[in-house]
Amino acid sequence: MTAARWAALLERHHRAILVGSLLVGALAALSLTRLRLDVDVLSMLPRGTAAFDDFKTFIADFGQLDELVILVDGPAAERIAFADALSERLSALPDMARVQGRLDAQAVADGLLGPYLPNYLPLDAFPQIEQRLTRVGIAQQVTVDKAMLAAPFDTSLPRLVAADPLGLRLFAARALAAASPDAAALDGGYITAHDGGALLLLARPSGSPFDIELSRRVVAATRDAIAATQAERGGTPLRVELTGGYVFALEDATTMRDDIIRFSLLAFVGVLLVFWLGYGNLRALPFLAWPLVLSTLLAFALSLLLFDELNALSLSFAAILYGLAIDSGIHFYSRYLQELLPRSALPPFE
């Protein structure tokens, strides 16, 4: 088909083409409701490269900020009771793998200072430890152990003596305390601020925080559980805040989506403004703007058919493509003016 016959065909059916493009654009716009933004930085790394693939595997196996941190602030007795009830409610959520509420300090000490005790013994305590391991030192420690076991009303001492008969844990515990002077305290078994004003709950959902749908469900269900627990218990209002990787992921997704929409619109308007400044009229703007909008909507619709989601890097190219796509419109419009106006009124077209 020659260019003249093609132009004549378009001229005869220009209304049907316009209506059809509007319908296609409206259908493609529905794809924006399914647009999912992948905020995981790892998704932007190259694929098929051993170093990057190993790094992704490491992050997937060991996790990265995979906790939802819940802060409960208020009077000690009420916040502890509230934390107990909230921990039980959160543990029943389908997307929640584990909720760390009360800590068993003795179990933590046994795990940390049991088989790994030699790793935490400070070097400056070695002379005292060496003396304690001598015949005389062992005899002196046995005397101390007997005195501890003879103490009335303390049933925990026999287990402590049996776990550490030579008293070596004391050296490691002092070293750990000196190395972490700002470590949080424990109040009622909960991780508590030094001033005693707030405690923390650590929740571990069943998936990655970069799964935005999972993060949205987890955060919404946690907020509902907090509201239900507060309504159930009543009493003094407590301040309950959320943070952690799942909250960060939602905020990052919202920020990135808003920024991409904002800059894409600014780029679109800027390109049209440059055209208006160059040609001095607005009559051609609808004919130039609609192909840009339609091509953008079709690109989103096709990408969602081919891929499950888009990352921020792929979406950022929308603003760049506007600057490139306007070139064809400028050439077509310039050629149109050459045909429409006397040639003496136009500069040579190159």
Side-chain angles (χ1 to χ4, degrees):
M1 181 180 292
T2 63
R5 295 183 63 183
W6 179 253
L9 178 64
L10 296 179
E11 173 63 24
R12 287 196 304 270
H13 302 287
H14 68 278
R15 288 188 177 85
I17 294 173
L18 179 59
V19 173
S21 67
L22 291 174
L23 292 176
V24 170
L27 293 175
L30 296 177
S31 66
L32 297 179
T33 61
R34 295 184 57 249
L35 179 61
R36 299 293 180 266
L37 182 61
D38 184 4
V39 299
D40 190 355
V41 178
L42 298 178
S43 66
M44 304 179 197
L45 296 178
R47 299 178 180 178
T49 304
F52 290 118
D53 291 342
D54 291 343
F55 178 68
K56 294 176 185 178
T57 301
F58 169 80
I59 294 298
D61 291 342
F62 289 92
Q64 182 184 32
L65 298 178
D66 292 349
E67 286 185 339
L68 181 64
V69 182
I70 306 166
L71 179 141
V72 182
D73 188 7
E78 295 191 17
R79 71 165 179 261
I80 291 176
F82 177 86
D84 289 339
L86 181 60
S87 298
E88 183 178 354
R89 194 181 295 270
L90 291 177
S91 299
L93 296 179
D95 291 319
M96 199 67 71
R98 179 173 57 86
V99 177
Q100 181 62 66
R102 291 179 182 270
L103 292 174
D104 187 344
Q106 189 58 53
V108 173
D110 290 341
L112 189 64
L113 301 180
Y116 305 106
L117 176 62
N119 297 335
Y120 298 100
L121 293 174
L123 293 177
D124 56 4
F126 276 18
Q128 301 177 60
I129 295 173
E130 183 180 4
Q131 191 278 330
R132 186 165 293 193
L133 293 177
T134 63
R135 185 183 298 273
V136 175
I138 292 175
Q140 291 176 346
Q141 186 61 34
V142 168
T143 302
V144 173
D145 291 343
K146 288 180 178 180
M148 294 174 61
L149 293 175
F153 309 118
D154 193 341
T155 58
S156 64
L157 289 178
R159 190 174 63 84
L160 294 177
V161 171
D164 184 27
L166 294 178
L168 299 182
R169 287 190 179 185
L170 181 61
F171 298 102
R174 288 174 178 172
L176 289 174
S180 305
D182 296 327
L186 288 178
D187 183 12
Y190 287 98
I191 301 174
T192 309
H194 279 297
D195 61 1
L199 61 80
L200 292 180
L201 293 175
L202 304 179
R204 179 65 66 90
S206 56
S208 169
F210 295 115
D211 183 345
I212 298 302
E213 289 304 312
L214 173 67
S215 294
R216 186 174 289 111
R217 291 198 309 270
V218 166
V219 172
T222 301
R223 296 190 188 280
D224 292 341
I226 292 171
T229 305
Q230 287 178 328
E232 180 183 89
R233 294 195 57 79
T236 304
L238 300 173
R239 183 171 68 93
V240 184
E241 302 291 346
L242 300 181
T243 186
Y246 296 85
V247 178
F248 298 157
L250 288 180
E251 292 180 353
D252 288 345
T254 301
T255 301
M256 294 171 69
R257 183 183 65 249
D258 293 345
D259 287 346
I260 289 170
I261 293 175
R262 185 184 304 112
F263 291 130
S264 297
L265 290 176
L266 287 175
F268 177 77
V269 174
V271 165
L272 297 183
L273 180 62
V274 169
F275 181 87
W276 174 70
L277 292 175
Y279 285 95
N281 66 76
L282 299 175
R283 289 177 298 176
L285 287 185
F287 302 99
L288 295 174
W290 176 239
L292 293 180
V293 174
L294 180 61
S295 60
T296 302
L297 294 176
L298 288 176
F300 276 127
L302 291 175
S303 64
L304 291 177
L305 290 176
L306 298 175
F307 310 102
D308 293 334
E309 56 190 2
L310 300 177
N311 60 38
L313 187 61
S314 60
L315 289 178
S316 64
F317 281 96
I320 299 175
L321 293 177
Y322 284 143
L324 298 175
I326 195 64
D327 292 346
S328 60
I330 292 175
H331 287 300
F332 277 115
Y333 186 64
S334 297
R335 189 70 182 88
Y336 170 75
L337 291 180
Q338 279 192 326
E339 292 295 329
L340 185 64
L341 301 177
R343 295 194 176 274
S344 59
L346 290 173
F349 179 73
E350 298 181 359

